[in-house]
Amino acid sequence: MSLFKKKSPIIGLCLGGGGTRGFAHLGALKAFEEYGINFDIVAGCSVGSCVGAMICSGKGFQQIYDIAKSLEVKDIKRNKIKFMPSSTEGLEELISNNISYKNIEDLPKKLFIVSVDVKTGKEMVFDKGDLAKIVAGSCAVPGVFYAVNYNDMTLVDGGVMNNIPADVLKKNGCDVIITVDVNSARGGGTSSDKFYDIFLASISILMKNNSKQGYEYSDIVIKPDTKRFKSTKLDGHEMMVEEGYNATIKLMPEILKLIKNKRYRLWKRKKRKLGEK
């Protein structure tokens, strides 16, 4: 019997933010599919919430890749004035046009999406509500997109407070947490003196500091080398997929061993409990 057809621990997948570097998430997904690794729960932030929504709707690597590779920057960012924030209509349409489920709770697989409500200054973790609106809110990088008004909240990119939401998976009972960080080189600063570049670099530094907690809650962190790609450009998307795939394949022996050992420990624990009765 295949390893992953036996009773398994609850496996969580954490998908971090990183803009268009999110193509590397797809490479990781391709590797997971090749080895038959299925995730019970997904937590996503920013572009990770978008990819996570696709995964939890039942789409596989090839389906998501076909959608993503056909995109142009103008499909997502629709600002008519350069350097001005864009509405999130393109993000919302990306979700609503490709996923038939209206609400997060309707998805076949459990999904948590992290955003920030700037009205209260609180991190928001959604597992219910309007999928397209909440994904857009999680992706709404300040200065790049306008905030998303949803119910009584004003939502911006979850990376402002929790760019690697592995803690969400831990709090919701995951036995194994595998994280894909497609922007591990964040916080490197910029040599440019342009206002927009300095602003984005400042956001990146902020996200680097709040990503540390996510590493601590993860059992394994996959870190594709995406430093040479811009998080706002689609150039090199095939290479980003390849980087995600290679980084995951490199850690696959460790991932398989972790899942196997966790299954054995859970079996031993259950056996001890039965013996006590």
Side-chain angles (χ1 to χ4, degrees), residues 102-251:
K102 167 70 174 173
N103 297 314
I104 299 173
E105 64 268 29
D106 299 330
L107 293 167
K109 188 168 291 187
K110 188 70 175 177
L111 172 67
F112 292 96
I113 296 174
V114 174
S115 189
V116 172
D117 177 14
V118 294
K119 279 188 177 180
T120 62
K122 293 181 179 179
E123 175 185 340
M124 306 302 297
V125 180
F126 295 95
D127 63 348
K128 295 181 177 62
D130 188 312
L131 179 63
K133 279 282 186 186
I134 293 169
V135 167
S138 182
C139 294
V141 179
V144 179
F145 293 99
Y146 287 112
V148 174
N149 293 316
Y150 178 65
N151 292 341
D152 293 327
M153 296 168 285
T154 302
L155 302 178
V156 297
D157 193 330
V160 172
M161 293 187 73
N162 190 358
N163 200 46
I164 307 288
D167 62 309
V168 174
L169 295 172
K170 193 70 174 179
K171 291 172 185 175
N172 284 277
C174 288
D175 301 302
V176 173
I177 298 173
I178 298 171
T179 288
V180 184
D181 182 4
V182 297
N183 192 21
S184 60
R186 67 178 64 81
T190 179
S191 58
S192 172
D193 59 0
K194 294 180 180 179
F195 170 80
Y196 196 64
D197 291 336
I198 292 172
F199 179 79
L200 291 180
S202 300
I203 293 289
S204 178
I205 292 166
L206 174 67
M207 291 181 177
K208 179 178 182 178
N209 289 330
N210 70 41
S211 296
K212 294 176 182 177
Q213 174 183 265
Y215 276 51
E216 293 172 0
Y217 279 99
S218 303
D219 293 298
I220 291 177
V221 179
I222 299 165
K223 297 184 286 186
D225 183 4
T226 60
K227 187 176 182 179
R228 67 187 185 278
F229 306 104
K230 289 188 176 182
S231 62
T232 56
K233 303 288 184 181
L234 292 168
D235 301 338
H237 66 270
E238 291 181 354
M239 289 184 285
M240 285 188 266
V241 172
E242 186 177 353
E243 288 292 349
Y245 178 82
N246 290 338
T248 306
I249 290 297
K250 184 177 180 180
L251 288 175

Side-chain angles (χ1 to χ4, degrees), residues 29 33 54-55 58-65:
L29 177 61
E33 287 182 357
M54 296 282 183
I55 294 172
K59 287 180 168 53
F61 159 73
Q62 194 61 54
Q63 290 171 293
I64 304 173
Y65 179 65

